[in-house]
Amino acid sequence: AEVLGFLRTLFAGEQDAFVWSVGVATLRRLHDVFGKEAPSMSTFLSGLLVEQKARLGWAASSAEGAEESDDDKLLRPAVLGLLGKCLDKEVGKEAEDYCRAYLCSEHPAPPPPPPGGERLSMKQAFSSNCPACGALDTPQAGVRGIALKVAASRNPLLWSGLLSRFSAASDSEERDQLLVALMGHSDRVALEAWLEKAFGGELPAQEWATLFAGLSQNRHHERIAWEMLVRHWDPVFKAWGQSQFKMKSIVISSMTSAVSVGEAEAFFEAHPCDTVRRAVRQQLEALAADTALRARAPQAEQALREIAARATA
């Protein structure tokens, strides 16, 4: 309770973007550990982030003469991403609007910004009046990945459109963002069918690390990254077993907190991979630490409820 109370005091009214950039990583870690077993954690974190969301929005003011700091440019996707993990309704709705705009082939060019230095509202800045979809303007590259990932996780009907865009995309950054978004799909049958084809040769092996990174963030199927590594170990090992960088990325993404230490140990004993032996050992230690922390989730939930009660008293 003292730690959570300290975080609330620390970030209340804090405006320094650099402090927030460091702090958001800590808050994300709290969500990763306690987000499922202590459901009040999402509400608590969203409350801490609400002022930064209002300040940063999805895009900087494009008014002439306004220049955004590098810290804010980096902070924006971090804040939006964490709010997306917390299932913030406003961010989720906006992400879907941006995703529809991204998928719309008939979007007009955005209108020029009005004179002055004021920050534009969502309606002023992004209402495109598109005759085809009526949605917001397409998201800027810096937040596009967040918008696509949050939207795809929320709305399974976006899957086919995103899949078509992925098939046509050639820019590596855009493909990575689309692939991560697609891997958050809620329909496990459709996702596994696509994965079978991907590992069968339809997806370049160079993109498999991104694929597993996306699977590790799937909130609907928390073990899917691990289960797909186990199922498709042979082609993954054949492609990257001798590459420390790629294999380490894949293994770390797959060994999420939903995997038990025992089953991970047993698998890598039966399927040794010398290039990631140290990474596996370190990740096993991290899993053990997460398990120990998660055992304290009931105390964390009680503390969060007490903090909420005091705030509304």
Side-chain angles (χ1 to χ4, degrees), residues 42 105 168 191 234 244:
S42 290
S105 60
L191 182 54
D234 288 344
Q244 184 178 35

Coordinates of all heavy atoms in Angstrom, one line a residue, residues 42 105 168 191 234 244:
S42 N -5.5 -1.7 -13.3 CA -5.7 -1.0 -14.5 C -6.3 0.4 -14.3 O -6.0 1.4 -14.9 CB -6.5 -1.8 -15.5 OG -5.8 -2.9 -16.0
S105 N -9.3 3.5 -48.0 CA -8.6 3.9 -49.2 C -9.0 5.2 -49.9 O -8.5 5.6 -50.8 CB -8.7 2.8 -50.3 OG -10.1 2.6 -50.7
A168 N 0.2 -6.3 -48.6 CA 0.6 -5.4 -49.6 C 1.7 -4.5 -49.1 O 2.4 -3.8 -49.9 CB -0.6 -4.5 -49.9
L191 N -6.2 -17.3 -36.0 CA -4.8 -17.0 -35.8 C -3.9 -18.2 -35.9 O -2.9 -18.1 -36.6 CB -4.7 -16.4 -34.4 CG -3.3 -15.9 -34.0 CD1 -2.7 -14.9 -35.0 CD2 -3.3 -15.2 -32.6
D234 N 10.8 -26.9 -34.3 CA 11.7 -27.4 -35.3 C 12.0 -26.4 -36.4 O 13.2 -26.1 -36.7 CB 11.1 -28.7 -35.9 CG 11.2 -29.9 -35.0 OD1 11.9 -29.8 -34.0 OD2 10.5 -30.9 -35.2
Q244 N 22.3 -16.0 -32.2 CA 22.0 -15.6 -30.8 C 21.0 -14.5 -30.7 O 20.1 -14.5 -29.8 CB 23.3 -15.2 -30.1 CG 23.1 -14.9 -28.6 CD 24.5 -14.5 -27.9 OE1 25.3 -13.9 -28.6 NE2 24.6 -14.9 -26.7

